[in-house]
Amino acid sequence: MYLLGFDIGSSSVKVSLIAGATGACIASSFYPKQEMKIVAKQADWAEQDPEQWWKNLKLALKDVLAESNVNPTNINAIGISYQMHGLVMVDRKQKVIRPSIIWCDSRAAAIGDQALKEIGEKQCLQSLLNSPGNFTASKLKWVKDNEPEQYSRIHKIMLPGDFIAMKLSDDIQTTAGGLSEGILWDFQQNEVSRLVMDYYGFEASFIPEIVPTFSVQSEVSEQAARELGLAKGTKISYRAGDQPNNALSLNVLNPGEIATTAGTSGVVYGVSEEVAYDPKSRVNTFAHVNHSAEANRLGVLLCINGTGILNSWLNRQVGNSAFSYEKMNELAATVPAGSEGLSILPFGNGAERVLENKNPGATFAGINFNIHSQAHIFRAAQEGIVFSFKYGMEVMKTIGIDAKVIRAGKANMFLSPIFRETLAGITGATIELYNTDGSVGAARGAGIGSGYYQSAAEAFKNLTKLETIEPGVNTDQYQRAYERWKTELEKVI
């Protein structure tokens, strides 16, 4: 029996098929092969067409089914991982009303800040564990204020993964975890937040049916089965935002465990059983995939918007797309730790929560025309990304998340030895790299939700550790470079 995982990112849609018995990935593909377009009609805006996610999913799935030659009737269940905080709106015919306002769109930051002041910081943080900030609820309020015609057509609002599940099944549903990512969940009352819904003036009917994260939520419809080449009735049994799902894929489910990822954006995600929050909402607390009213399992999330996107920008603009990322890493390795005084702040991808929703843009500081080269820029960028992680992890530590061991999939920025060694060196944490990713994690989640696996322990018994990185010998150099980097940051925030 096989399990299928979909990972709906802002860069691409990835599909993986795993063998349930062994957990081995049988086939995997992603589309598009170049990064998916993000439309920015104005500064700080970021939109994507949800139908494009669906088209890319179909292309990737077609590859996977062809490569694996698996009979679709032998696919037990489907799991869905998705980019968090996006807003999808559909009418009564399940047609998308407008492009999705995605996670890195900053247009609603001021709306969320005003809500925090008017509702009250204490009330927001105690009930929501976060400021309304620039999250899904505030994005919906922006639509209400600025696009009343589109707003009037709303039948249901969804997160990106809910949209994909709707396309698969015709059922419109969501989860408590998803609503918590949108700042629409009240942790005190364990229900949809009437506080936020009433303050913003939203209709209660906008919220879809709420289903458990791990459960047989719906089944593949006849129409979707024909469109995708799947069997009608295939179970859809798991959905979660990409960062809770990344933690699941690394078997990070218990208090004190830490997961991280560094794709377009970068995230450090720690699990806590304590209802804790940062008073300034610089890091955010959401329901983890295994959270319940009986047992708190909360994910404390640090997000840095400008991570891999800085590396890809440098590849195009500084390397003229002539270098592979491996070549960029090789060049960076020719430069000593600290990049000989060059510091790069990676904050060029929208407002940063860790900076209290400020958007200072990216900064290159300390450039010396007689010393610095492409290689210095490549290394300083990776160090700057790591230093932004360190800066946020200092905030996480104040609410009880202290990283001693960090788990990550061996992918994206974690393919770079410099990135890994710098992160271990500046944080003092041991880094463990595993053979997994979001789509494989979603497939395992589907196995748990469908009952194919009797427990998470069974689902992850074959998870393989590929590499361990211990803090190295350049600790003092990293610390000096970090202090210099922080000095530059303080000049712009």
Side-chain angles (χ1 to χ4, degrees):
M1 196 60 73
Y2 299 90
L3 300 162
L4 194 57
F6 299 148
D7 187 10
I8 315 302
S10 53
S11 297
S12 66
V13 174
K14 187 169 186 180
V15 176
S16 291
L17 184 71
I18 70 170
T22 64
C25 184
I26 302 302
S28 185
S29 183
F30 68 93
Y31 270 88
K33 299 306 181 183
Q34 301 297 322
E35 290 186 7
M36 203 183 316
K37 185 177 181 181
I38 295 176
V39 177
K41 295 180 180 178
Q42 296 186 31
D44 300 333
W45 287 25
E47 298 181 349
Q48 288 182 325
D49 178 5
E51 292 291 350
Q52 192 62 51
W53 304 334
W54 181 244
K55 290 176 184 176
N56 289 327
L57 183 152
K58 288 193 289 186
L59 290 168
L61 178 59
K62 183 178 180 181
D63 283 356
V64 165
L65 294 177
E67 180 185 346
S68 66
N69 201 30
V70 164
N71 187 325
T73 61
N74 290 328
I75 297 175
N76 175 268
I78 298 169
I80 302 167
S81 167
Y82 58 88
Q83 47 173 301
M84 297 167 70
H85 317 309
L87 170 65
V88 180
M89 310 183 308
V90 296
D91 63 19
R92 291 189 178 277
K93 294 183 179 180
Q94 299 189 355
K95 300 299 183 185
V96 174
I97 293 170
R98 70 171 325 281
S100 174
I101 303 175
I102 66 170
W103 61 275
C104 55
D105 187 296
S106 303
R107 75 184 73 182
I111 291 172
D113 290 344
Q114 183 178 355
L116 180 67
K117 292 176 184 176
E118 295 186 359
I119 295 173
E121 291 188 15
K122 183 177 180 181
Q123 182 67 57
C124 281
L125 293 173
Q126 287 182 343
S127 298
L128 310 171
L129 307 185
N130 300 284
S131 160
N134 189 43
F135 296 105
T136 310
S138 299
K139 290 168 181 170
L140 180 59
K141 180 61 163 65
W142 183 93
V143 175
K144 182 182 180 184
D145 291 347
N146 294 276
E147 298 178 350
E149 182 179 349
Q150 285 88 336
Y151 184 84
S152 69
R153 295 170 54 203
I154 295 173
H155 172 53
K156 297 292 180 184
I157 64 167
M158 290 177 281
L159 293 149
D162 302 328
F163 170 80
I164 295 298
M166 181 197 77
K167 295 290 285 187
L168 287 166
S169 66
D170 292 333
D171 294 327
I172 304 180
Q173 301 167 322
T174 193
T175 63
L179 291 171
S180 80
E181 297 161 20
I183 317 302
L184 286 162
W185 189 256
D186 189 319
F187 284 90
Q188 288 186 322
Q189 302 300 321
N190 201 38
E191 64 182 19
V192 175
S193 173
R194 285 176 286 182
L195 184 73
V196 172
M197 296 290 287
D198 291 347
Y199 173 79
Y200 281 148
F202 298 154
E203 299 292 332
S205 63
F206 287 178
I207 304 297
E209 174 194 5
I210 299 170
V211 294
T213 297
F214 297 102
S215 63
V216 179
Q217 301 162 353
S218 55
E219 296 180 347
V220 172
S221 69
E222 183 175 349
Q223 169 62 30
R226 285 198 305 267
E227 207 171 333
L228 298 175
L230 295 175
K232 178 186 175 183
T234 303
K235 291 173 279 192
I236 302 161
S237 54
Y238 167 80
R239 76 184 76 178
D242 52 9
Q243 299 311 324
N245 178 74
N246 180 63
L248 171 77
S249 72
L250 294 161
N251 198 22
V252 169
L253 295 168
N254 299 307
E257 296 176 341
I258 307 285
T260 188
T261 183
T264 301
S265 63
V267 166
V268 179
Y269 185 99
V271 180
S272 174
E273 61 185 341
E274 302 297 328
V275 180
Y277 51 82
D278 173 39
K280 296 182 179 180
S281 214
R282 294 166 295 178
V283 297
N284 302 105
T285 303
F286 306 115
H288 194 29
V289 293
N290 56 341
H291 176 72
S292 69
E294 295 74 33
N296 286 333
R297 291 296 182 269
L298 302 170
V300 179
L301 184 151
L302 160 70
C303 180
I304 305 296
N305 288 348
T307 304
I309 194 170
L310 168 59
N311 215 32
S312 64
W313 183 86
L314 290 175
N315 180 274
R316 296 189 305 273
Q317 306 302 333
V318 178
N320 294 318
S321 300
F323 299 141
S324 66
Y325 289 112
E326 291 80 5
K327 182 62 176 178
M328 290 171 66
N329 293 338
E330 289 173 12
L331 288 169
T334 65
V335 173
S339 303
E340 296 190 292
L342 177 60
S343 296
I344 296 180
L345 308 181
F347 307 117
N349 193 30
E352 294 282 0
R353 276 172 259 164
V354 75
L355 304 181
E356 299 180 56
N357 280 328
K358 294 184 177 69
N359 186 5
T363 299
F364 289 55
I367 291 178
N368 185 313
F369 299 139
N370 298 309
I371 296 174
H372 295 134
S373 64
Q374 280 181 327
H376 288 84
I377 294 172
F378 294 154
R379 178 163 194 131
Q382 294 198 33
E383 291 180 341
I385 294 164
V386 169
F387 294 159
S388 67
F389 276 36
K390 168 67 173 175
Y391 183 83
M393 289 167 72
E394 290 175 349
V395 177
M396 295 179 76
K397 194 171 182 178
T398 66
I399 57 172
I401 304 295
D402 188 8
K404 302 298 185 186
V405 177
I406 297 172
R407 297 180 193 171
K410 192 171 183 180
N412 299 317
M413 297 295 293
F414 280 96
L415 293 171
S416 166
I418 287 173
F419 183 84
R420 303 189 304 246
E421 291 161 10
T422 306
L423 182 61
I426 194 62
T427 63
T430 298
I431 298 172
E432 297 178 349
L433 301 180
Y434 290 84
N435 65 329
T436 190
D437 63 22
S439 58
V440 171
R444 292 181 192 267
I448 297 170
S450 70
Y452 179 84
Y453 296 127
Q454 297 305 304
S455 65
E458 181 183 350
F460 291 97
K461 66 182 179 181
N462 295 313
L463 183 65
T464 303
K465 187 193 301 183
L466 300 176
E467 195 171 346
T468 300
I469 298 95
E470 302 286 353
V473 296
N474 293 320
T475 304
D476 291 343
Q477 289 173 274
Y478 292 137
Q479 188 62 41
R480 288 194 297 272
Y482 175 59
E483 294 301 329
R484 186 175 65 246
W485 182 93
K486 272 207 303 188
T487 298
E488 295 301 331
L489 177 61
E490 289 163 2
K491 293 176 182 177
V492 298
I493 61 172

